Amino acid sequence: MPDRKRALWAVAEQTRGKLASVTPEVLGQARRLAAEAGGCEVAAILLGKDVGALANDLLACGADKVFLVEDPALELYQNDTYGTVLHRLIRREQPEVVLFGATAVGEELAPTVAARLGTGLGAHCTNLALAPDGLLTMGVLGFGGRLHTEMFCPDRRPQMASVKPGMFPPLPREEGNGEILREEASALLSGADIRIRTVRIVKEEPEGMPLEDADVIVAGGWGIGGKENWRLLTELARELSGATGCTRPALDEGWTDGEHTMIGTSGKTVRPKVYLGFGISGSPHHTVGIKDAGVIISINSDPRAPVFECSDYCVEADFRKILPLLLSEIRRAKVPA
Amino acid sequence: MPELKFTQSQEMLRKAVREFVEKEVKPIAHRIDVESSFPADVFQKMGRLGFAGVFVPQTYGGAGLGQTERAIILEELARHAAGLAMALMTHHLGVEAILAYGTDEQKAKYLPDVATGKKISGLAVTEPTGGSDVAGQLANASRDNGHWVINGRKCFITNSSNAEVNIVTARTGEDAKGRPAFSAFIVESGMEGFSPGREEDKLGLRGSSTGDLLLNNCRVGEGSLLGGEGNGMRMALGLFTKIGRTGMAAIGLGIIRACLEEGVKFARERVIYGKPLAKLQAIQFEIAQNRIDYEAARLMTYHSIGLKEGGAGADAEIAAAKYFATEGAVRAAKRTMDLMGGYGVINEYPVGRYLRDALTTISCGGTSHIMQIIVAGQTLN
Amino acid sequence: MGELNLVVLVKPVPDPSCYDRIEIDPATGALLRQGMPAVLNPADKHALEEALVLKERFGGRVAMVSMAPDSASETLMEGLAMGADEACILSDRAFAGSDSLATSRVLAAGIRKIGPFDLVLAGNESADGGTAHVPSQVGELLGVAHLANVIRMEVGPGGSVTARTRIENGYIEVRGSLPMVVGVRREINTPRYTSLMGVMAAQGKPIRVWRSEDLGVNAAEAGMEGSGMRPGKLSRPDYRRKGEILKGSHEETVRRIVAILRAEGVLG
């Protein structure tokens, strides 16, 4: 089929009928790649039970068509069932590119499918480009964010990549008139070797504003020194209607609200308008996660802290002095004169 | 003469110890110094990993290694917490006393506990009259109905309030020439008439406790006599050299390395006149001097231990190593403070502690004057 | 349940504390790793710890398998000192340039050569490359159940497995049975420290080196030829910003910060 449009696929992720926040990001990027290369169509693949309502969301997020596979056996994610369905669909449709969100689920599902297809897979990509000839450039970070490598999969298809959450902004929603293709799930699942059973998926939805949605992030590192001081950070974040973030060492010390607040290579990539960092030394593991922030302000008593190099504004001071003053100044500023 | 080279397993051992020290000891080093507290829980962990009984045969629950491996452990510990290294080094004095001089019964009774760090040990010789003046001690023990009754006051005793198995020396009569004879006893904490006394507030090495041990009609059984009657002096002097001074040399060496590494880190990171401090030649000289002291102290320490392990007397070499490494630690700490400028005297940085620790090592196991007397004596004879 | 045959996949990686010093050779564009000592990949220690705990409970053997140059034996000694019984290095020039799938093929061949296995454990990802692909792909290639991101795991007497895997803001609870391949996250346990006794015992433990012909891996399956992925240009990402120092008293500094917040339109 020489005149057939090249297909770019985005594998959607949903839990209990809710799309993962990375899915619109992946779709948006697939749309941009399609425009870049020309002559491409974007398809989303949605698996689950009673998730048909989400298909329209996927069209609105940039898909030209949605492959919808619904079955009770797909209610809860499990790599044997999901892997089998995806593998068979990809074999049948032969898309040029298949993208996954590099979530925990994507991190398992993508290599599973790639192994079955015998093709290459780029991991946790932070940028992607598609040439007119269909070759995908996959930019990946290694060595804790210190090394950027361009990867290619020149002679196997499809080209597969997982996309690091938070890297690509989703497109504005546009109610599309794409096509929803309902697939016969039992055929795609028949004879699948299901070796593990998912008992349940437990989501502990965190309190407070998610880091991804915050205009202001108040982040703390190891220098904060304890839970007492951490409370001041949370207070400041609340005062600014923002979110609290942390580094790996602060998380390990148990001062923070949990893993969902960690920023960096093994945590989240954030893009707030303003990022305020307190007591953060600035290892690349962390700073790679804030590179897209609008303005970075760092407060650290150590003038040699590497974080100052990647900050817009540097305050060489003890955060214990600055934080309380800042809180009262902000409260005063917010009172209408 | 062959190069001084550690075996592959010694290098691995150093790596394993370093990992433990960086994760478990470095984070508490500042606190135990400020609070002057001995971290018993960390000592227990060290015991389970084999540090407490490094040179004790495996049949008694030790690691079955030797004094070189022990020095590696002490150096690595002292790199971050010389005070805790001091507690371990003193523990080894008591362990070696039982291992080298104990009867089979005594070894079977005490070694499994002290080699695994379940019980802490120590050696109590020093009295208000002095430490190196072993013959001047006044504590005495006399026989009474199949028991020994010990009286006296020991002071400046490391692990005084933590040790459960104490080796205590006391005067037990006179020898054939009419000179005082001394014997050693194993005295366990909790025995009637035995108690720790006041604790000292030390300048450095504050991660170990140091204080008095009081013996007030302390009755111990005949089985508590260690190494035979009248052998206490020989035993104490032997332990001072083989365990005490080698240990202090290793601790000094660890402090020098701490100074060297902190100095390098600071010189690389601190920017002055638009470039790192390390680019200034004056600073390079300080770093070079620290390195030279480290290299020399390292060779002297491990070489003298090697000689002793090989069966040589090595009293002068060991005394020289103790002298050089501990004095070198003082020099290195001073230099590092100098190169750090104002930061050097801020207690957020560890160099002030290194200097206090280094100064304190001078008096442990014989002062620098005593070391020179030993070296001179061995050289002139 | 009888004794367990446990395999731990390990990778020597350049010491993560040295990643600040990474340089790229301006002439060749290749990565310069000089002066970066190799260490056992940190996540792999958690995999080894889990294996050692299982061995303590059920008995059996723990074999480490690593695709690495011959010189990796030094790093693998660390694992032997922690308590593994043997190490197998899969080393061949033909393996150079392997992507995650080709690496997984070599590892799967190494695991098969050791013999029947009950459980293969691996760190979820390596500190250097960090694809996190290997546990899933080795599982696929061995044709057994596999899990990534495991944070809790219990093996029952009959070989049943209950596990939790970490997902964003929650976890998945699964049931399965041995044999299995799992990628573990660091939350699963705290690796033990190496004891002096362990260091001594390691000296007598076997380290085998297997080449491609020992493994029956042909050139088309491994290395560049067996890999879908090809690396292109390397670069060091530049995150530097202007770094203006806010000078003055604390009060003045705070007023500047508030002014910046207002200018960015985030002061409500």
Side-chain angles (χ1 to χ4, degrees), chain B residues 153-229:
Chain B
R153 174 182 157 217
K154 298 289 177 182
C155 71
F156 300 149
I157 304 304
T158 306
N159 295 345
S160 59
S161 47
N162 312 106
E164 291 182 69
V165 179
N166 299 277
I167 312 302
V168 176
T169 57
R171 189 185 289 240
T172 49
E174 292 176 350
D175 67 9
K177 293 179 184 165
R179 293 177 304 196
F182 299 89
S183 303
F185 299 89
I186 305 172
V187 182
E188 294 179 59
S189 61
M191 281 182 160
E192 206 181 325
F194 175 74
S195 62
R198 56 167 283 170
E199 224 178 286
E200 306 295 346
D201 181 13
K202 299 195 298 294
L203 173 74
L205 301 178
R206 291 162 61 91
S208 58
S209 73
T210 303
D212 286 3
L213 284 179
L214 308 176
L215 298 126
N216 188 3
N217 286 324
C218 174
R219 282 174 76 85
V220 299
E222 193 65 50
S224 292
L225 179 68
L226 181 67
E229 193 175 341

Side-chain angles (χ1 to χ4, degrees), chain C residues 65-76:
Chain C
V65 175
S66 184
M67 187 183 97
D70 295 9
S71 61
S73 60
E74 208 176 302
T75 313
L76 295 187

Side-chain angles (χ1 to χ4, degrees), chain A residues 232 235-236 239-240 276 278 321-337, chain C residues 246 249-262 266-268:
Chain A
L232 284 174
E235 213 175 309
L236 178 63
E239 204 61 52
L240 290 165
L276 282 154
F278 294 88
K321 302 260 165 55
I322 299 291
L323 246 180
L325 281 173
L326 188 56
L327 263 172
S328 55
E329 186 69 26
I330 286 168
R331 283 178 184 140
R332 193 170 337 145
K334 279 166 64 174
V335 178
Chain C
L246 301 185
S249 68
H250 291 331
E251 288 74 13
E252 286 164 341
T253 306
V254 163
R255 279 197 291 274
R256 277 296 303 279
I257 296 175
V258 172
I260 295 163
L261 292 171
R262 184 173 290 121
V266 295
L267 257 194

Side-chain angles (χ1 to χ4, degrees), chain B residues 76-318:
Chain B
E76 291 299 326
L77 255 184
R79 161 63 185 89
H80 287 290
L84 184 56
M86 182 67 195
L88 180 65
M89 117 85 208
T90 308
H91 170 81
H92 289 150
L93 283 168
V95 173
E96 171 70 6
I98 296 169
L99 181 64
Y101 301 95
T103 61
D104 287 346
E105 290 75 21
Q106 287 169 330
K107 288 188 206 176
K109 183 175 178 190
Y110 294 108
L111 283 178
D113 281 346
V114 293
T116 51
K118 280 197 196 94
K119 289 186 177 170
I120 298 170
S121 188
L123 175 68
V125 175
T126 303
E127 295 186 7
T129 50
S132 298
D133 177 15
V134 178
Q137 58 185 302
L138 299 173
N140 65 82
S142 52
R143 286 182 192 278
D144 177 41
N145 217 352
H147 282 77
W148 287 93
V149 179
I150 316 173
N151 278 290
R153 174 182 157 217
K154 298 289 177 182
C155 71
F156 300 149
I157 304 304
T158 306
N159 295 345
S160 59
S161 47
N162 312 106
E164 291 182 69
V165 179
N166 299 277
I167 312 302
V168 176
T169 57
R171 189 185 289 240
T172 49
E174 292 176 350
D175 67 9
K177 293 179 184 165
R179 293 177 304 196
F182 299 89
S183 303
F185 299 89
I186 305 172
V187 182
E188 294 179 59
S189 61
M191 281 182 160
E192 206 181 325
F194 175 74
S195 62
R198 56 167 283 170
E199 224 178 286
E200 306 295 346
D201 181 13
K202 299 195 298 294
L203 173 74
L205 301 178
R206 291 162 61 91
S208 58
S209 73
T210 303
D212 286 3
L213 284 179
L214 308 176
L215 298 126
N216 188 3
N217 286 324
C218 174
R219 282 174 76 85
V220 299
E222 193 65 50
S224 292
L225 179 68
L226 181 67
E229 193 175 341
N231 286 326
M233 169 97 96
R234 191 172 60 84
M235 186 191 304
L237 293 176
L239 291 170
F240 285 170
T241 301
K242 183 180 174 189
I243 305 294
R245 285 162 199 157
T246 55
M248 292 318 299
I251 290 173
L253 184 61
I255 299 173
I256 303 177
R257 206 179 88 219
C259 297
L260 178 61
E261 290 175 1
E262 287 295 324
V264 167
K265 183 166 177 272
F266 189 89
R268 277 200 186 132
E269 288 173 1
R270 171 79 169 146
V271 173
I272 196 154
Y273 308 128
K275 53 187 175 184
L277 212 52
K279 299 277 181 201
L280 302 180
Q281 204 171 45
I283 297 301
Q284 293 175 359
F285 287 154
E286 304 287 358
I287 299 286
Q289 289 288 324
N290 277 356
R291 176 76 192 265
I292 291 164
D293 270 336
Y294 177 70
E295 291 295 336
R298 177 172 165 275
L299 290 172
M300 292 175 77
T301 301
Y302 289 104
H303 173 64
S304 65
I305 291 168
L307 284 178
K308 184 81 182 169
E309 291 277 88
D315 286 10
E317 287 85 351
I318 288 172

Side-chain angles (χ1 to χ4, degrees), chain C residues 222-239:
Chain C
M224 286 285 239
E225 209 185 317
S227 296
M229 298 300 280
R230 298 266 186 285
K233 214 175 96 217
L234 303 183
S235 57
R236 280 184 59 172
D238 189 354
Y239 306 130

